């Protein structure tokens, strides 16, 4: 049987003011009926360009300069835009990364779905009622509750996960044969990611839709895809069955990517990183494009481009597999161990010092919704958002405490409140034995030299009008500290692994990883004792994220720092955290040592989070029973009575609907859980070291 999609010798060029740039070179692959093919690689490798080319949605300056894109044996390259328009939706469909940017905010979901169906009709005979019924049925199929009512709402009235489901429903309205998904879960919480992955897999099984899945998340690929294409600098460097790729990676780049990915069970000393970064299209090296970053490079790699060769059941673009190679590339699976994310033996977490650095007691932070004049005329009333609703936590000297939970659970608000960047409504914040809850800001400001924050978005936290050197010196000027400016800037840059050349650059001239490192250097400028890191690796490629995690771990040991790390990436906390606080709707529902939380959570919400982790190991597909939470996290404006988690809990009983369970000891050790039935929660994985 012929493949549904066949790409042969594809070449794509971009016409720019500085010349013609080759974005995709000599690329070919196939997608069969009902197959899910994953495309992975760092930013700048050409993944999204491949997706756009299949849909013929390249930007105006992009051109397919060579090759074929055969869909059902028809070449899409020479088709006109009108011919492609008739195919999109009916035969080909795409899910974009940002659902809110793809849905029109001024039209209801019903208008957008019905208009899409009407545009795809071939005979134009279906009535509006028939089209609306079809749209409602598709919303129900993707899990939108009360679809008959919700179809009349606007995109902004839905949560992020629901908007992504609507995007999938719109893409599948006409049962297309091929679905292209470009990072559809990258901005979602782990629970929503699990829901979308299960939804995509279920729709594939039900409708037989083939899927080209673009992602940088190796865990998602391992749990979802049948085959994998690994891209680097515009070419496919390795392809094969997902089980073969993860167990026997052949290309040095594939191996490095797998080694860079933190695994939930890994407590190794360091993650593997890939030196340098993906080369610019303007500065592509001669020969193998990966040669400038490969530790096994030979002379031939720098002058001659390798062929795409069959190796066992895979294909790889590397000279090491050509006849006559005499280099030192080890056999597949022998590069620093074969387990993703591992580079050494697991170490037990260090025992934190008994000294308490931060303590919160019944901490509450509420925000009031302001109602404008028009809202008051229409009868609107101010409401209270309970971002933090009674948090008791302690952080010990030298430990790393991770805060995890879905968006809206209060993690970032907690981090900002303990630093007094948000004003607490009630409760106490005790810093090294001193109550700072009600201190005026002029007294808190001098204390900021000892407690700093690494913000989630470095581009937003670094002034675009200031050079890196000025950004690093600003804390000293604010606090009136005299220093040797040149020496201090060089010292701070060296501390985070940057060269002194970066000092004269502006933030927009830095890569994502470099900007993140500058933010860390700025936070470390005044030698703080406490760092609150808000999503320190969000949006970064796996290798860059590994470098940031290694850096944070090294700095903690070298400078004796105390960390509060806010993250939704549960694989990361297995690598870096000593203890984990699981938050839900402004409350801590479980507090445990990292290893204990992964092996046997004691709260139903923790159990669901742990089961939702996309583990970078396809062999765990059969063992990992996902617990898909129903619905979304409730609004903190109107939290449910009793246990805040009871509307989504599979163990809930009548008592849970009226009583709030206290955060109390559950099981051995210092584990705390806010659940009346913590003994019912089951182990998620049989062993932490699987």
């Amino acid at each position: 049987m012929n493949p549904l999609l066949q790409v042969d010798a594809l070449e794509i060029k971009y016409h720019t003011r500085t010349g013609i740039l080759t974005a995709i070179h000599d690329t070919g692959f196939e997608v069969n009926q009902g197959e899910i093919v994953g495309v992975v690689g760092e930013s700048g490798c050409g993944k999204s360009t491949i997706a756009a080319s299949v849909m013929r949605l390249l930007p105006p300056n992009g051109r397919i300069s060579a090759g074929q894109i055969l869909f059902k044996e028809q070449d899409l390259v020479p088709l006109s835009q009108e011919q492609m328009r008739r195919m999109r939706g009916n035969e080909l469909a795409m899910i974009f990364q940002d659902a809110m940017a793809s849905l029109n905010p001024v039209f209801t979901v019903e208008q957008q779905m019905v208009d899409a169906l009407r545009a795809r009709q071939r005979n134009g005979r279906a009535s509006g009622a028939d089209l609306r019924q079809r749209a409602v049925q598709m919303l129900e199929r993707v899990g939108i509750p009360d679809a008959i009512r919700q179809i009349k709402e606007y995109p902004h009235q839905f949560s992020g996960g629901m908007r992504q489901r609507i995007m999938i429903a719109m893409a599948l309205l006409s049962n297309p044969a091929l679905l292209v998904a470009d990072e559809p879960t990258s901005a979602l919480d782990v629970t929503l990611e699990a829901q979308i992955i299960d939804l995509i897999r279920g729709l594939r099984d039900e409708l037989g839709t083939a899927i080209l899945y673009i992602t940088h998340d190796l865990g998602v690929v391992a749990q979802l895809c049948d085959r994998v294409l690994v891209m680097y600098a515009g070419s496919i460097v390795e392809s094969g069955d997902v089980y073969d790729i993860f167990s026997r990676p052949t290309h040095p780049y594939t191996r490095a990517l797998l080694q860079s990915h933190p695994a939930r069970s890994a407590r190794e000393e360091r993650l593997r990183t890939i030196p340098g970064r993906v080369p610019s299209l303007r500065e592509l090296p001669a020969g193998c494009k990966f040669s400038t970053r490969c530790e096994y490079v030979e002379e031939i790699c720098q002058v001659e481009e390798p062929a795409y060769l069959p190796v066992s059941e895979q294909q790889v673009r590397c000279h090491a597999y050509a006849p006559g190679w005499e280099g030192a590339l080890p056999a597949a699976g022998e590069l620093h161990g074969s387990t993703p994310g591992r580079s050494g033996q697991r170490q037990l977490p260090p025992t934190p010092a008994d000294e308490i650095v931060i303590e919160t007691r019944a901490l509450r932070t509420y925000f009031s919704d302001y109602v404008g004049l028009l809202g008051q005329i229409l009868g609107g009333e101010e409401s209270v958002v309970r971002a933090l609703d009674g948090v008791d936590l302690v952080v010990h000297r030298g430990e790393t405490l991770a805060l995890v939970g879905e968006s809206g659970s209060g993690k970032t608000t907690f981090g900002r409140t303990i630093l007094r960047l948000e004003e607490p409504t009630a409760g106490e914040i005790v810093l090294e034995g001193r109550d700072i809850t009600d201190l005026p800001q002029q007294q808190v400001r001098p204390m900021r030299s000892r407690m700093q924050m690494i913000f989630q978005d470095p581009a937003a936290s670094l002034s675009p009008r200031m050079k890196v050197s000025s950004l690093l010196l600003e804390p000293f000027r604010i606090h009136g500290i005299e220093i040797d400016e040149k020496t201090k800037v060089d010292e701070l840059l060296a501390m985070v692994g940057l060269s002194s050349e970066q000092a004269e650059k502006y933030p927009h001239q830095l890569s994502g990883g470099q900007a993140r490192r500058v933010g860390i250097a700025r936070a470390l400028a005044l030698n703080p004792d406490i760092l609150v890191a808000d999503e320190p690796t969000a949006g970064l490629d796996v290798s860059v994220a590994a470098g940031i995690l290694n850096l944070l771990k090294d700095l903690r040991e070298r400078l004796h720092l105390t960390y509060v790390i806010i993250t939704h990436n549960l694989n990361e906390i297995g690598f870096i955290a000593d203890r984990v606080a699981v938050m839900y709707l402004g409350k801590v529902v479980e507090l445990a040592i990292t290893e204990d939380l992964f092996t046997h959570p004691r709260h139903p919400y923790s159990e669901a989070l742990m089961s939702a982790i996309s583990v970078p190991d396809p062999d765990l597909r059969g063992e990992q029973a996902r617990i898909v939470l129903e619905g979304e996290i409730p609004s903190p404006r109107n939290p449910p009575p009793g246990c805040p988690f009871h509307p989504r809990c599979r163990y809930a009983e009548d008592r849970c609907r009226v009583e709030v369970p206290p955060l109390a000891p559950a099981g051995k050790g210092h584990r705390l859980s806010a659940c009346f039935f913590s003994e019912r929660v089951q182990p998620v994985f049989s062993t932490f070291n699987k």
Side-chain angles (χ1 to χ4, degrees), residues 231-524:
M231 292 198 67
Y232 186 80
S235 297
I236 295 174
V237 297
E238 184 169 0
S239 64
D241 178 82
V242 66
Y243 292 93
D244 292 336
I245 291 290
F246 276 80
S247 62
R248 296 186 304 276
T250 53
H251 197 282
Y253 179 59
T254 309
R255 299 181 185 189
L257 280 181
L258 291 172
Q259 293 290 337
S260 298
H261 199 291
R264 60 172 180 83
S265 61
R267 292 288 301 187
E268 68 275 9
E269 287 301 310
R270 295 181 65 78
L271 293 168
R272 178 180 171 83
T273 60
I274 309 174
R277 53 177 165 169
V278 179
S280 165
L281 295 180
R282 294 182 177 85
E283 301 171 349
L284 289 175
C288 175
K289 303 300 181 284
F290 188 62
S291 62
T292 57
R293 306 173 72 189
C294 182
E295 62 182 308
Y296 303 103
V297 63
E298 298 286 341
E299 185 176 349
I300 189 175
C301 305
Q302 299 172 333
V303 294
E304 183 179 329
E305 186 165 351
Y308 197 38
L309 303 168
V311 178
S312 186
E313 299 297 321
Q314 295 146 247
Q315 280 195 290
V316 62
R317 191 183 300 274
C318 181
H319 287 297
Y321 300 93
W325 172 265
E326 298 179 355
L329 187 67
E334 294 179 4
L335 186 61
H336 298 288
S338 59
T339 306
R342 302 296 294 271
S343 62
Q345 297 298 315
R346 188 180 74 86
Q347 302 293 323
L348 291 175
T351 303
D354 292 333
E355 181 185 358
I356 294 176
V357 179
I358 303 170
E359 182 176 5
T360 65
R361 302 166 185 161
L363 186 63
R364 289 175 168 79
T365 303
Y366 295 170
F367 301 103
S368 296
D369 273 347
Y370 174 74
V371 179
L373 179 61
L374 179 60
Q376 295 176 22
I377 294 173
L378 296 175
E381 297 181 357
E382 286 192 6
S383 60
V384 174
V385 178
R386 302 184 178 190
L388 287 184
D389 200 14
V391 175
D392 296 294
L393 269 180
V394 296
V395 184
H396 297 94
R397 175 80 65 190
E399 81 165 332
T400 298
L401 174 70
L403 302 180
V404 301
E406 294 168 286
S407 297
S409 59
K411 308 184 300 296
T412 296
T413 301
F414 178 83
R416 292 178 62 86
T417 302
I418 62 175
L419 298 183
R420 289 290 308 279
L421 297 176
E422 301 289 354
E423 290 300 321
T425 304
E428 298 178 47
I429 306 168
V430 180
L431 176 67
E432 296 179 334
R434 181 182 182 186
D435 189 344
I436 66 169
T437 314
D438 299 317
L439 289 182
Q441 282 296 328
Q442 57 264 33
Q443 294 185 36
V444 174
R445 192 170 294 114
M447 303 175 68
R448 293 252 163 81
S449 63
R450 297 165 54 198
M451 48 184 188
Q452 289 286 310
M453 187 163 191
I454 303 169
F455 295 93
Q456 178 175 351
D457 186 353
S461 61
L462 302 176
S463 172
R465 297 186 296 272
M466 298 173 68
K467 293 182 178 180
V468 168
S469 57
S470 298
L471 290 166
L472 297 180
L473 293 172
E474 189 178 33
F476 300 100
R477 293 166 181 163
I478 290 173
H479 289 271
I481 301 173
E482 294 186 5
I483 53 166
D484 183 330
E485 296 187 352
K486 176 67 168 62
T487 302
K488 179 56 72 172
V489 168
D490 290 345
E491 176 187 319
L492 289 172
L493 289 174
M495 185 182 296
V496 295
L498 294 176
S499 68
S500 57
E501 298 173 0
Q502 312 299 329
E504 296 307 307
K505 291 184 178 180
Y506 289 92
H508 74 274
Q509 296 174 298
L510 304 172
S511 68
Q514 289 173 333
R516 193 84 58 169
R517 287 172 182 263
V518 169
I520 295 173
R522 192 172 188 271
L524 293 173

Side-chain angles (χ1 to χ4, degrees), residues 35-40 201 204 213 215 217-230 238-250 254 258 313-315 338 340 615-622:
E35 184 179 41
I36 303 179
V37 177
V39 184
V40 300
R201 185 189 293 113
R204 187 275 301 269
Y213 196 95
T215 184
D217 191 329
L218 297 174
V220 171
V221 170
Q223 299 306 312
L224 179 66
C225 298
D226 303 310
R227 287 192 301 115
V228 185
L229 310 175
V230 182
E238 184 169 0
S239 64
D241 178 82
V242 66
Y243 292 93
D244 292 336
I245 291 290
F246 276 80
S247 62
R248 296 186 304 276
T250 53
T254 309
L258 291 172
E313 299 297 321
Q314 295 146 247
Q315 280 195 290
S338 59
V615 183
D617 184 353
D619 290 329
L620 290 178
R621 285 187 186 184

Side-chain angles (χ1 to χ4, degrees), residues 147-200:
I148 293 177
R149 179 185 62 82
Q150 295 217 71
I151 196 173
K152 296 184 177 296
E153 296 183 346
Y154 291 87
H156 73 272
Q157 295 176 285
F158 292 87
S159 67
M162 288 298 176
R163 284 195 293 266
Q164 205 68 30
R165 288 172 179 266
I166 292 169
M167 276 290 298
I168 295 173
M170 292 183 69
L172 296 174
L173 277 172
S174 300
N175 292 337
L178 176 66
L179 178 65
V180 179
D182 188 4
E183 299 275 11
T185 63
S186 63
L188 301 181
D189 293 314
V190 63
T191 51
L192 294 178
E193 178 186 272
Q195 291 178 22
I196 298 301
I197 289 173
D198 286 350
L199 172 62
I200 290 174

Side-chain angles (χ1 to χ4, degrees), residues 534-599:
D534 189 3
E535 298 283 6
T537 63
L540 299 181
D541 288 317
V542 61
S543 177
V544 180
I548 296 298
L549 291 174
N550 287 338
L551 173 64
L552 292 175
K553 205 166 190 179
D554 292 344
L555 291 173
R556 183 186 75 168
E557 295 171 2
R558 192 183 342 151
L559 304 178
H560 308 292
L561 296 172
T562 301
Y563 286 140
V564 176
I565 293 185
I566 299 161
T567 182
H568 70 275
N569 189 328
L570 300 181
N571 280 313
E572 288 182 2
I573 67 173
F575 169 73
I576 199 169
D578 301 317
R579 290 190 303 146
V580 184
V582 181
M583 296 191 67
Y584 188 80
L585 213 59
K587 298 179 182 290
V588 174
V589 296
E590 183 165 2
L591 180 65
I593 293 173
T594 305
E595 183 171 349
D596 292 343
L597 185 74
F598 276 110
T599 53

